[in-house]
Amino acid sequence: GAGWLYLRRQKEQRLRQRRLRDLRALALGQGDFQLQDTSGTPRSRSDLLGQWVLLYFGFTHCPDVCPEELEKLCRAVELLEEVPGLPPVQPLFITVDPARDDAAALGRYLHDFHPRLQGLTGTAEQVRAAAGAFRVYVSAGPPDPDGDYVVDHSVLTFLLGPDGLVRDCYGRSRTAEELAKSVRGHMESYEPLPP
């Protein structure tokens, strides 16, 4: 009986490892990106390794959706900070409008949301590559007579694990409390994917 249980456990472990390898092959956000933070320091996806990250793509001229999503993301981070023993979560905002969102504009915009909220920008090509790695849809609308325009984009918040892989993504309907609960669940059940 004990031998059968041992063999069954070994088989389940092999199946779980194979499933995790398959998930790694399908995972979003695997490509590296080269962007700059609000101080102009170059940043890449590899800088995020070893930490939990809540990532949102948006733009500073967004009239309502992006501010609401950033407030929700930052509130979830605050809720997680209240739980003793949990690792910190890094809130991160990547612009989808690099033409207007340079490092200085990002710094001014993100200042009031959360003290640890980081913002990243870059050239149009760099931003497009970062958004593409996460399959984020981005399309700038036509400018109005004043030259202002809206950028249509996917409204998703991504949870990245310490291994840098997307562990979950959340749409607009999720509350800050639901985000925090989900992130905590991922932290408590975290198992790195095999290479």
Side-chain angles (χ1 to χ4, degrees), residues 15-161:
L15 286 173
R16 186 171 52 249
Q17 291 297 320
R18 186 170 68 214
R19 181 177 169 273
L20 291 173
R21 277 193 301 276
D22 292 345
L23 282 173
R24 179 182 280 282
L26 295 173
L28 294 174
Q30 291 196 55
D32 202 5
F33 56 73
Q34 303 299 320
L35 299 169
Q36 297 84 42
D37 66 17
T38 55
S39 66
T41 304
R43 299 287 179 195
S44 68
R45 186 174 153 276
S46 59
D47 292 327
L48 305 175
L49 294 177
Q51 57 188 324
W52 289 92
V53 177
L54 276 172
L55 165 63
Y56 180 76
F57 286 85
F59 64 110
T60 65
H61 287 74
C62 182
D64 52 9
V65 175
C66 293
E68 289 171 4
E69 290 301 299
L70 282 176
E71 286 177 11
K72 179 171 56 176
L73 180 153
C74 292
R75 177 65 186 139
V77 170
E78 290 169 355
L79 290 169
L80 290 163
E81 289 171 340
E82 295 172 1
V83 181
L86 285 183
V89 176
Q90 175 60 59
L92 181 64
F93 176 87
I94 298 179
T95 184
V96 294
D97 185 17
R100 294 183 291 186
D101 292 346
D102 62 12
L106 273 182
R108 287 189 303 272
Y109 179 75
L110 300 177
H111 181 267
D112 294 329
F113 286 100
H114 190 280
R116 292 190 300 105
L117 177 59
Q118 292 181 359
L120 299 177
T121 188
T123 66
E125 294 77 23
Q126 290 171 324
V127 168
R128 192 171 22 259
F134 288 87
R135 297 188 188 125
V136 170
Y137 165 79
V138 179
S139 177
D144 65 17
D146 295 328
D148 196 20
Y149 57 91
V150 174
V151 180
D152 188 25
H153 62 90
S154 304
V155 181
L156 295 169
T157 298
F158 298 93
L159 172 64
L160 281 65

Side-chain angles (χ1 to χ4, degrees), residues 80 170 174 176-186 188:
L80 290 163
Y170 311 102
R174 302 292 286 271
E177 291 75 17
E178 290 171 330
L179 257 72
K181 182 179 179 182
S182 175
V183 171
R184 184 175 179 180
H186 283 285
E188 291 171 350

Side-chain angles (χ1 to χ4, degrees), residues 163-183:
D163 54 9
L165 297 179
V166 174
R167 294 298 173 150
D168 212 335
C169 70
Y170 311 102
R172 284 188 71 189
S173 64
R174 302 292 286 271
T175 66
E177 291 75 17
E178 290 171 330
L179 257 72
K181 182 179 179 182
S182 175
V183 171

